[in-house]
Amino acid sequence: MSRTFTLDDLKRILLEGSGAPDGTGLEGDILDADFADIGYDSLALLETASRVEREYGIELDEAVVGEANTPRALLDAISSHLLAQAA
């Protein structure tokens, strides 16, 4: 059985890693918003990837994380890794 990774999971991990007040930059329809536009830089995304790796037991390539410039792209990358892990 594979685990799922949702937008709510991503928001939670982004907030935990950034220490930002709840909801900062993550309100509304953010799936296709650029991370930089919602206040998350490359360092925040690396921290997010690290937290995802620990929590979900997967390994994300830095290039994949670097190329995922929207929440949708990062969700797709994480979901692909989780599906591969389950196979």
Side-chain angles (χ1 to χ4, degrees):
M1 182 175 154
S2 66
R3 293 180 69 183
T4 59
F5 190 81
T6 67
L7 181 59
D8 287 336
D9 295 322
L10 179 59
K11 286 180 178 183
R12 175 183 52 79
I13 292 172
L14 281 166
L15 290 170
E16 288 172 357
S18 70
D22 287 346
T24 301
L26 300 178
E27 306 88 11
D29 184 14
I30 62 160
L31 272 175
D32 296 311
D34 193 279
F35 278 115
D37 292 340
I38 57 175
Y40 293 88
D41 61 11
S42 59
L43 186 59
L45 292 180
L46 288 176
E47 174 63 23
T48 297
S50 177
R51 287 172 179 265
V52 169
E53 289 174 338
R54 285 191 306 271
E55 187 173 326
Y56 287 83
I58 59 174
E59 187 173 327
L60 299 169
D61 187 277
E62 284 185 34
V64 170
V65 175
E67 292 171 6
N69 58 357
T70 66
R72 183 185 307 274
L74 189 54
L75 283 169
D76 289 346
I78 294 167
S79 293
S80 293
H81 279 77
L82 288 171
L83 285 172
Q85 182 186 52

